[in-house]
Every structure is written in C-alpha cells, then in structure tokens.
Amino acid sequence: MKIFSLNKNTWLIYYCLIAISSLLLITSINARYDELLSKRQDEQFYVTKIVKSDIHGILTHYETMLDLINEDFTEDEHFNQFILERILQKSELLIGFVIFNLDGTLLAKSDNLPDSLYKTRSSDYFDNGFHGSLEKDRLMISSAILSPVTNKWIIPIRKTLLDNNGEVRGFIASAIILDNLKNKWSHAQAFGNSIMLTLDHNFYQFLHTGMPPERYNATFAHPLTEEQITETETALKAQNLSFNKLRANNAVAQVMMSPSDIPLLHSLSYDSKYKFWVHTSRPLSDINQPLLYTAIYYFALYLLFLSLTFLLFKWILNTEKSKLTALTYITEHDDLTGCFNRTVLGRLVGRLKRHQQPFSLLYIDLDNFKNINDSFGHKYGDILLQEVSRKIQESLRTIPGNLVRYSGDEFVLLLENNNEDVIRGFAKLLLRNMAKPYSINNNSFYITSSIGITRYPNDAKSLDTLISYAENSMAMAKSTKNQYIFFSQEVHQQLLKQAKIEQALHHAIENNEISLAYQPQLNSQSKLCGVEALVRWQSSDLGFIPPEVFIPIAEQTGLMPKLGQYILNKSMYEITALQKKLNTRFSLAINVSVKQFIQLNFFDVLTQSIEDFGDKSLPLTIEITESLFIESVDVLLPVFEKMKQHQISLALDDFGTGYSSLSMLREAPIDELKIDKSFVDHITENNVDKAMVKSIISMGKNLNMRVLAEGIETLEHAKILSKYGCDLFQGYYISKPLNIEELEVYVNTIRKRH
C-alpha cells in the first residue's frame, strides 16, 4: 500500500510539472516574441532618427553651398568653375549647379552639365517637381523626377537668387542623384527597413529605398494615396497622435499598419526646417524565423526536461535501493564543493602507494579569501569556493588525479605524476586559470592562489610529512602570492630561519637588541628640519636582520603593536633629550605600520607616549603608507582629525607606488607627501621619472602640502628636485641614518654652517 501511494503521489507531482513546464514554454515563447518586437522597434526608432538627421545634415550642407555660390555669383555674375568642380568632386550626391532668371531663362551653369541646358526653361525642368511656389529664405526640395538632360532620376533642390539689394532675381538650383542617396541607406544598413521620404504639403515621394528603378516613374509621379494617408492617420490617432502634433514636436511615432493585409511596423518623423517626412517600414514577418528557431529550441528543452524529469522520478522510486551508496558518498565528499573531503586523503594516498604509483601533492591556498568573506558575506565565499573547485577539477583532464578540500579555502590535489617539468607546467596553467575573473551575481571577483608542491617518494614517504612540507612551501609562495614553490632543502632551511627569526623577535626588545637610527631631512637652504626614525635589529644569535625581513614577520605574528610602541617611546625619548641638550627644534617622523595604526586605541597609545617619553612641543610627524587605506576610511578619519587637533602632522610615505594615492589625498588631511626613492633614482636620465616627480611636487604644492624626496644619492638629484620646488630632502647624499650620538655631532655641524 505504501509503495502504491508513493507511486501515485510521485506521478501526480510529475504531471503537475508537465503542466507547469507547458505554461512556462508558452510564456517563454511569448516573451521571446515581445523581445524580438521590442528589438525591431528600437532598431527602427534609431534608424528613423539617424536618417532624418542625415538628410537634414545633407540639406543644410547643400543649402550653405548654394548660399556661398549665390554670394559669389552676385558679385561678378559668373560661376567660379574651379570652385564648383572641387565642390562636385567632394559631393558625390550632387549632379551640378544652374541659375535661372525669374522669367525662366538659364543664366549660368556648372561646366559638368551639357550646353543643351541653355535651351531649357526652368518651368520645363523644375516647376513640375516642386509642387509649390518659390520661397525666399528656404531651401526647397522637389519630388523625384527623371532629368531630361542627364536621363537620371534626381531630387531637385533650389533656393532664391538675390541681388545686391536683397531682391529676388531668380533662383539657384542643383539636384541630388537619387540612386546615390538611396545607396547610403541599403536594406542591410537600415536593419531591414525600407526608408521613404515625402514632402509635407502634398506627400510626394523623393526617396524610397525599397523601390526598384523600373517602378520609379509610377512611384514618384504621384503622391501617397488617400488610402495610405488615412490609414496612417488612423494608426496615429490610436496613440493619441496626429500629423500636426508630430509637426509641432519633431518626435518619432511608431505604429502598426497592415497595407495589403501585410502587417508592418512603421515609424515616421517630421523635419520642420525642410518640411519633409521620414517613413521607415519593415514587415513583422521577419520576426517569424528567429521566433521559430526559439520555439524549436525551447520545445527541445521542454522535451529534454520531460525526459530528464521522467528519468529523475524513476530514480526517486528506486532510491531506497541505493541508500548505502548515497550515505557513503556523503561521508567522503565535501557537501559544498562536491570534491573529496580530508577523511579520504589517507585512502587515496594508500591506493597510490599500493600500486607503486609516484605522485605529487599540491597544497593550494586562496590568497586573501578572508577579505571576500568579510566584505561580501559567506554566501559569496561559498559560491567562489565552488567555482574554484570546478576549475581545479577541470584541470584534471590533462593529468589524472583527485581533488580534496582540506579545510576552509585550502585544497590538496593529488596528481598521478611526479615529473618536475610536467608538474611545473601544470602548476603554471592552474595558476593562470584560477586567476581569471569569477562572475557571481553580476559581481566580478579576482582571486589568486599560492601552491606548495611535494613529490612522492622524492621528498618524503609519509603522508603527514608530505603535507607538512607542501604546506610550508605554500606559506613561502604566499609571501609573494600567485606563485608555486616546490619543496626543497633550501625552502626548508629558509622556513627554519624564518621560524628562528620569529622566535628571536619575541625577546628582542627585552634583550635590548632593537635600536633606532635617524636619517636627517634638510630643506633647500640645507637647514635641518627633521629626522626620520628607522628601526634596527642586531640579534645576539642571528646577527643583523634588515627591517624588510623582520617587520612583515612582526605584523604576521601580532608583535607589531608592541614593537611599534617601543619605537614610539624610544624615538621620542632620545630626540626630546637631544633637543633639550642642544636647545634646538626639529621634527621627528615615525613610520607607523598598518597593523599598529588600525588598533582601536592607537591614538591613546600615541598621546600617552608623547606625555611619558616626549615633549608636547616636539614637532611630530606620523608617516603612513597607501596600504593603510585598504582598511575602512570611515574608521581612520576620526583618528586623523584627533591628530590634527594635537598638532601632529600626517605624511603619506612612498607616494605613487600604491593604487589609492589620489583617493587618500582627497579624503585624508595629509600634511606631507614623501616621493618614493624609486622615482628619484633615475630622474637624471629618465624623462618619464623626471616628469612624474615634477608632477608630484606640483600636486603637493597645489594642495598646500610639504613635499619630501627620499633616496637622494647625488648632487644632481638634489639640484633637479630643488629646481622643481621640493621642500625637504632625505637620502645618503644628505646623510646616512645615524645613531643618537652621531646625530648629535651632525646637528652641531649643521648649526655651525648656519
């Protein structure tokens, strides 16, 4: 009974799905029709506007030509044939120029027209085409006629010829070659639309792109029929429009019409200056073919859906027989990405070992993945992990292997190959593929990866050791990001050294191994204006360790706040004592780490340090880098404001080397720009660097900021920077970094010079 009930309910759901999918099919086809119609309407709307603008521009251009020829003719009663020839060469649409008296006799013509034209009266040539009297101040357009002289279909245009007193003495005329104008708007160029131009007062046509030449005479000899005009008026009225409303606003109207029972999409617009209408038409039947293709495609999907759902429901009815398989799969696979979970890793490696299959283990970690989770939420992070795992699994088409989600954003990839060159090529390709943008909910994400690689049995035989080595290699690669590193003894030793540095750093302050050096900063008059405090570490066990080595380790291990406070305290104490001893004043610049600055109590720590170890009158400058602005500006700005209130200056270090400099200059109350050494190094021979330094100095001056240049190594550096208006100078040409005793000697030396 239960099985029967299950079958009955299951197939009832299936029939409901059939009904719903059928409704969706009909709705989708209808939506596709609306989409195609809307696209045709948009295309026709813009074609109408463009054609009107194009014809208006052509007529305006030719009207200007006629005015200029008119002025030239009025002055000497002759055409300048050379100028006319040049005009006609550049005007492929025009056939020539003629001037008639009011009595209809020909006064002059361009040389390209035959002399037989002198026997022609204007009434024979023009009056039958214009269907209206001559207007004094407007270029007039005729309906198309067959020229009795050139035997070409043309669109005559004319304008009054005025004498020197401004009186009408005749008219100057030309003609546009109809076929040349027609070729500008071919069927393809007009998105399948036929374009028709008609005169306003009588609806005579002067262009119809959909008309073959053999029908020109029947088309252009008569105006639009009353039936055509009435049908258009009726279609306009249905949209609360009329010819007069369109004449008033020059808008584009779109209507549906059915002349000769052929449904058409029709647009029309009016040009008020030259009094003509632009009509564009296209049959709605051209929607049928793409609609048919869409219907076939949707119907195929519909049948596929029905087939798949049928199979799915059949599978549902048999799930009881496969529960054990499903449970096994769940326990061995990651529920988010679908790849193996870490519980399977030992079994996978064991199988490879049993088959004596050499393999490589790639430990993959996503760079800065935490930022995406923190900024966009774990939902985006989960989707990104799915996309990443998909890309990695796709890479396994080239080399057999298995992917394991090890933890969080870390994956372990087992490849059944341990050839170093093959694995190297695979790692490069994998990094490139994973660095390509990911699109999630219309947002693009870029994320790179760091990979550590170990090989069995070359590097180790134990799984734990292989993973440990690969993880350590990955940590090394992560220092530069988007890199891969093969495990080696050199890598191992480097990791051991880094670990020793980390351990020694914990006790460096207590062991009095951290010292400070001060590099002087002079102004353009070589007067000492300040010093920058630079940290030095001479380890009793490891020797001298450069700041660029131990500062990142301090930041990674959370020691930076402690180290930073020590630097603040010691530098203020030493400089304050020195200034009191020498009875002098100069500023102290201290570079503050990102990790230190973003502490919630940073400002309190700073002011407490000034109170306990310094002097409130000590000019103090806090240097920050552009990387600080990766953090929230809203959180930092209040700290900046408090610093300003306590007369503490803010300097932007390494200006121009980051990506947010201009944003920082706009949002932060920066007092000083420090030009990075990389810009100064080559200003004597590199014009680009020289121009960039000049621009930075100019920018700083315009923003009322001091500008300090770092890395001045030569007199030539100093001269160029001084010429460009740099305020402060720092570098080995000025002085190397000095300990406090050496600084005392230096200060006295500078004072003696002044």
Side-chain angles (χ1 to χ4, degrees):
M1 181 62 71
K2 290 182 178 180
I3 295 176
F4 175 78
S5 177
L6 176 63
N7 273 281
K8 180 179 178 181
N9 292 334
T10 301
W11 291 118
L12 179 61
I13 295 172
Y14 179 72
Y15 296 141
C16 290
L17 283 176
I18 292 177
I20 294 171
S21 58
S22 300
L23 181 61
L24 287 175
L25 175 65
I26 296 170
T27 304
S28 300
I29 293 174
N30 187 62
R32 178 58 174 162
Y33 173 82
D34 292 339
E35 177 187 354
L36 291 170
L37 178 60
S38 177
K39 180 180 178 182
R40 270 42 173 197
Q41 287 175 325
D42 290 343
E43 289 172 350
Q44 191 179 86
F45 177 87
Y46 287 108
V47 166
T48 305
K49 295 195 71 170
I50 292 170
V51 169
K52 187 174 100 171
S53 176
D54 187 43
I55 300 300
H56 183 93
I58 290 171
L59 295 175
T60 300
H61 179 64
Y62 291 158
E63 183 175 12
T64 303
M65 285 185 184
L66 295 181
D67 287 339
L68 293 174
I69 295 170
N70 186 354
E71 291 180 8
D72 184 64
F73 186 86
T74 302
E75 289 180 2
D76 57 14
E77 299 290 322
H78 292 89
F79 276 140
N80 186 325
Q81 294 294 341
F82 175 75
I83 293 177
L84 293 186
E85 182 179 352
R86 294 290 300 274
I87 292 174
L88 290 171
Q89 286 176 352
K90 295 183 179 181
S91 306
E92 61 180 7
L93 300 180
L94 292 183
I95 200 168
F97 298 93
V98 293
I99 291 182
F100 285 96
N101 275 330
L102 287 175
D103 62 5
T105 59
L106 183 68
L107 283 180
K109 69 173 184 65
S110 56
D111 284 347
N112 69 308
L113 297 176
D115 291 336
S116 60
L117 202 62
Y118 282 103
K119 300 177 183 180
T120 303
R121 304 287 295 176
S122 64
S123 58
D124 298 333
Y125 199 84
F126 287 101
D127 288 355
N128 292 335
F130 280 94
H131 304 284
S133 59
L134 189 65
E135 294 184 24
K136 183 174 180 180
D137 296 323
R138 182 175 68 87
L139 178 75
M140 296 182 64
I141 317 166
S142 167
S143 59
I145 62 171
L146 181 64
S147 170
V149 176
T150 62
N151 202 33
K152 292 182 179 179
W153 280 91
I154 60 174
I155 305 168
I157 57 175
R158 68 180 182 183
K159 194 167 185 185
T160 53
L161 178 68
L162 305 177
D163 59 20
N164 291 329
N165 297 321
E167 297 296 324
V168 178
R169 57 170 294 188
F171 63 90
I172 180 169
S174 184
I176 299 171
I177 303 172
L178 186 144
D179 283 337
N180 288 4
L181 182 62
K182 177 181 175 181
N183 290 337
K184 285 173 61 67
W185 292 99
S186 65
H187 194 69
Q189 291 170 321
F191 294 99
N193 288 279
S194 294
I195 299 168
M196 180 173 66
L197 305 178
T198 63
L199 301 174
D200 180 35
H201 59 282
N202 53 22
F203 288 100
Y204 269 81
Q205 301 177 51
F206 60 94
L207 179 69
H208 197 310
T209 60
M211 195 62 61
E214 59 267 25
R215 295 187 57 190
Y216 282 0
N217 193 51
T219 300
F220 300 125
H222 305 284
L224 297 181
T225 64
E226 288 294 329
E227 181 181 353
Q228 290 174 312
I229 296 172
T230 301
E231 185 177 6
T232 305
E233 286 179 332
T234 303
L236 289 173
K237 188 175 181 181
Q239 297 188 22
N240 197 26
L241 293 172
S242 66
F243 285 123
N244 285 335
K245 286 185 178 180
L246 294 180
R247 289 185 181 104
N249 58 27
N250 289 330
V252 176
Q254 289 189 300
V255 296
M256 298 290 185
M257 301 175 61
S258 299
S260 304
D261 295 327
I262 300 175
L264 293 177
L265 178 62
H266 188 83
S267 296
L268 67 159
S269 184
Y270 180 70
D271 187 295
S272 57
K273 181 176 180 180
Y274 295 110
K275 301 186 184 303
F276 67 88
W277 292 89
V278 178
H279 308 253
T280 51
S281 299
R282 69 182 299 167
L284 290 177
S285 58
D286 65 355
I287 296 178
N288 294 341
Q289 187 174 10
L291 184 63
L292 178 61
Y293 290 153
T294 300
I296 293 173
Y297 176 74
Y298 286 169
F299 191 74
L301 290 179
Y302 172 75
L303 292 179
L304 179 62
F305 172 76
L306 293 183
S307 302
L308 292 177
T309 51
F310 175 81
L311 295 174
L312 176 63
F313 278 80
K314 288 287 290 183
W315 174 81
I316 290 174
L317 294 173
N318 295 311
T319 52
E320 291 295 329
K321 299 177 182 179
S322 58
K323 280 186 177 181
L324 181 60
T325 303
L327 289 172
T328 303
Y329 180 88
I330 291 172
T331 57
E332 293 183 348
H333 289 75
D334 176 55
D335 59 350
L336 178 64
T337 62
C339 56
F340 287 117
N341 58 39
R342 65 187 299 168
T343 62
V344 187
L345 186 57
R347 181 164 58 83
L348 294 175
V349 170
R351 186 180 64 187
L352 293 172
K353 288 182 177 180
R354 283 194 301 274
H355 290 84
Q356 298 182 343
Q357 171 66 54
F359 64 88
S360 298
L361 187 149
L362 280 65
Y363 198 103
I364 305 169
D365 182 83
L366 304 184
D367 300 328
N368 299 321
F369 179 76
K370 183 177 181 297
N371 291 342
I372 294 177
N373 268 342
D374 293 344
S375 302
F376 296 91
H378 288 274
K379 180 179 179 181
Y380 278 82
D382 289 347
I383 297 174
L384 184 59
L385 287 173
Q386 291 171 336
E387 291 298 309
V388 167
S389 67
R390 180 183 59 80
K391 282 191 177 183
I392 300 175
Q393 287 171 325
E394 286 178 354
S395 68
L396 294 176
R397 297 171 182 171
T398 57
I399 300 179
N402 288 290
L403 177 64
V404 175
R405 186 184 178 195
Y406 197 69
S407 66
D409 60 334
E410 296 175 335
F411 296 85
V412 169
L413 186 58
L414 293 175
L415 299 179
E416 297 178 14
N417 193 310
N418 74 344
N419 181 281
E420 184 173 348
D421 292 334
V422 173
I423 300 304
R424 188 183 305 278
F426 176 86
K428 290 179 180 179
L429 179 63
L430 184 59
L431 286 175
R432 283 199 302 271
N433 289 339
M434 293 177 68
K436 292 178 181 178
Y438 298 83
S439 180
I440 301 175
N441 296 336
N442 298 321
N443 292 304
S444 291
F445 294 89
Y446 295 84
I447 191 165
T448 57
S449 304
S450 301
I451 303 176
I453 306 172
T454 52
R455 296 178 296 151
Y456 171 88
N458 307 58
D459 298 324
K461 296 182 179 180
S462 163
L463 173 60
D464 290 340
T465 306
L466 286 169
I467 291 177
S468 176
Y469 285 172
E471 186 175 8
N472 290 337
S473 300
M474 180 276 296
M476 293 288 294
K478 207 167 185 64
S479 62
T480 54
K481 295 183 174 52
N482 199 30
Q483 293 291 333
Y484 66 90
I485 291 182
F486 280 87
F487 173 80
S488 65
Q489 286 304 315
E490 291 79 6
V491 171
H492 188 56
Q493 292 303 318
Q494 190 171 353
L495 288 169
L496 290 176
K497 182 180 179 181
Q498 184 170 327
K500 290 179 180 179
I501 292 174
E502 180 181 335
Q503 292 301 317
L505 188 58
H506 280 276
H507 307 287
I509 295 176
E510 290 79 359
N511 296 339
N512 201 29
E513 296 175 352
I514 302 295
S515 62
L516 295 178
Y518 303 94
Q519 190 165 30
Q521 301 168 341
L522 304 186
N523 62 15
S524 56
Q525 287 78 41
S526 297
K527 181 179 178 181
L528 179 65
C529 294
V531 295
E532 179 182 4
L534 303 172
V535 64
R536 297 291 184 261
W537 180 20
Q538 183 70 35
S539 171
S540 57
D541 296 327
L542 304 174
F544 177 75
I545 302 173
E548 59 269 19
V549 173
F550 71 82
I551 291 295
I553 294 175
E555 290 181 334
Q556 294 168 11
T557 57
L559 290 173
M560 198 61 231
K562 179 181 178 181
L563 178 60
Q565 185 169 356
Y566 176 81
I567 295 170
L568 283 174
N569 297 344
K570 187 175 180 64
S571 60
M572 288 186 197
Y573 174 78
E574 291 186 341
I575 295 301
T576 299
L578 178 63
Q579 291 187 0
K580 286 181 179 179
K581 179 179 179 181
L582 300 180
N583 191 25
T584 187
R585 272 286 179 268
F586 51 84
S587 69
L588 170 64
I590 304 173
N591 198 309
V592 175
S593 162
V594 173
K595 298 291 186 182
Q596 185 181 1
F597 201 97
I598 61 175
Q599 294 178 96
L600 294 177
N601 65 339
F602 169 74
F603 182 75
D604 296 331
V605 171
L606 177 61
T607 53
Q608 190 65 45
S609 180
I610 295 172
E611 184 175 339
D612 294 343
F613 297 94
D615 188 326
K616 292 185 178 179
S617 62
L618 173 66
L620 185 62
T621 299
I622 298 298
E623 296 183 2
I624 59 174
T625 60
E626 295 171 275
S627 60
L628 180 67
F629 271 61
I630 297 174
E631 306 297 330
S632 172
V633 177
D634 295 335
V635 174
L636 300 176
L637 285 178
V639 180
F640 294 154
E641 293 301 328
K642 289 180 181 179
M643 290 171 57
K644 297 293 287 184
Q645 293 169 11
H646 285 72
Q647 310 303 314
I648 300 173
S649 298
L650 190 64
L652 181 56
D653 198 9
D654 302 333
F655 179 74
T657 60
Y659 60 84
S660 59
S661 302
L662 296 181
S663 172
M664 294 178 70
L665 294 181
R666 185 183 70 241
E667 299 184 33
I670 305 296
D671 299 291
E672 178 179 292
L673 291 184
K674 296 191 70 175
I675 304 175
D676 187 69
K677 181 180 184 297
S678 61
F679 291 109
V680 176
D681 284 342
H682 306 292
I683 58 173
T684 56
E685 68 272 0
N686 188 311
N687 290 331
V688 174
D689 283 1
K690 187 183 294 185
M692 291 183 70
V693 166
K694 184 178 180 181
S695 298
I696 293 172
I697 294 173
S698 177
M699 182 189 302
K701 294 292 188 180
N702 291 334
L703 296 174
N704 296 318
M705 298 177 185
R706 298 187 303 272
V707 181
L708 184 150
E710 296 180 299
I712 298 173
E713 306 289 344
T714 65
L715 175 61
E716 188 65 23
H717 285 168
K719 286 182 177 180
I720 293 173
L721 291 164
S722 180
K723 175 184 175 182
Y724 290 156
C726 186
D727 299 303
L728 300 173
F729 304 82
Q730 179 180 339
Y732 272 72
Y733 175 73
I734 307 299
S735 171
K736 67 176 183 178
L738 308 170
N739 61 35
I740 193 65
E741 291 80 12
E742 293 170 333
L743 180 61
E744 180 178 351
V745 176
Y746 183 86
V747 171
N748 284 325
T749 303
I750 290 293
R751 293 172 68 179
K752 289 178 182 179
R753 292 178 187 171
H754 294 275

